[in-house]
Amino acid sequence: MAKGYRNAGLSLAVAGLTFFALLVPSLYARPRPPVSPEMQVALPRFVQVLMAAGDRYLAANLAGFRALVASTETMGAENYHIQGLVQSDAAWLNPAHEDNYYIAAAILPWFGEVEAAQYVLRLANEARPFDWQPAFYYGFNELHFYKRPLVGAEWLRIAAGHTSDDMEQIQLQQLAAQWASRGEDVELSIQMHRAMAKEARNKAFANFLEKRAVRLENLLTLAQAVDRYRERFGKKPAQVSDLAEKNILPIIPSDPFGMSYIVDSNGKPQLASPQSARTDNHVGGGR
């Protein structure tokens, strides 16, 4: 009886193996979408820690390694989403993981995973107060992907506070000032320039930032005066000097850098180009 059962089991095994051998060629012949095997699934965080024998830093290293070796040229949107989850997990497990934030900044935002990149960079910024780069990358993403120059400039201020090198601080603050000047909220831009001037260790650069704040104040004053001119006369002024001649402003403010102000074709006060400053008779601190 036992021998009969063994023969039946062997027959079933042989039949199963034969069926499998016949099925495999047809399975391999079926088209399969190209995917990156490294980024097909994101494991729960507690599972990652368990797999690393309870060592969260080892788990972070393993997650970072997955992101590092991922074949990005074959990845689609779903794979990049998984990579964003994997790198977010790595940042949660070890916020100070340097390779993880580098990879997140270099890859994720450019493939639609901006929020994941920002999460990684925020944690890295908090965990690495000696490192200005996480805040810099975070600020760049705010400017480039979200079109929020003032938020980006604020993060550059944070980056400047994370460096002990005077020249690096000046460069970051100068870039922050340029970004802040592009913001639509001019009053907030002025406040940001003055805050950076107070923080600057270099006195000459602090003076430069204060002058930038004055320039923005002048442009804001002129813009408000142009609006009042329109309300009174139903048209824009032909030139900046009209604002004083029509008693809209008592005087035309002088640019702290010695440039001139003009009113462009849309009625918006602007700095004059060097050629305009030489050829036009506009008032406002000419050279």
Side-chain angles (χ1 to χ4, degrees), residues 19-92:
F19 177 76
F20 178 77
L22 294 173
L23 186 61
V24 164
S26 63
L27 289 175
Y28 273 97
R30 294 176 64 86
R32 295 183 301 280
V35 296
S36 176
E38 303 88 0
M39 291 300 163
Q40 292 184 28
V41 64
L43 297 174
R45 289 171 178 171
F46 79 92
V47 174
Q48 296 180 56
V49 175
L50 285 175
M51 292 175 63
D55 187 337
R56 63 182 296 162
Y57 296 107
L58 176 58
N61 288 338
L62 293 174
F65 182 74
R66 285 183 65 189
L68 184 64
V69 302
S71 302
T72 56
E73 70 274 5
T74 63
M75 284 169 54
E78 182 178 351
N79 300 122
Y80 283 113
H81 179 66
I82 296 297
Q83 179 166 343
L85 294 175
V86 168
Q87 294 204 247
S88 296
D89 289 347
W92 183 84

Side-chain angles (χ1 to χ4, degrees), residues 91-155:
W92 183 84
L93 292 163
N94 181 8
H97 198 296
E98 186 174 12
D99 289 342
N100 191 55
Y101 90 70
Y102 271 137
I103 298 168
I107 295 176
L108 293 180
W110 303 97
F111 293 94
E113 295 298 320
V114 185
E115 278 302 313
Q118 297 298 74
Y119 175 80
V120 173
L121 292 169
R122 278 197 306 273
L123 295 185
N125 175 71
E126 295 171 3
R128 301 172 64 88
F130 52 86
D131 188 351
W132 59 268
Q133 294 186 82
F136 172 81
Y137 293 134
Y138 191 102
F140 174 81
N141 291 342
E142 289 291 334
L143 172 74
H144 184 77
F145 294 103
Y146 290 138
K147 312 301 180 186
R148 296 192 290 231
L150 287 175
V151 178
E154 180 61 32
W155 276 88

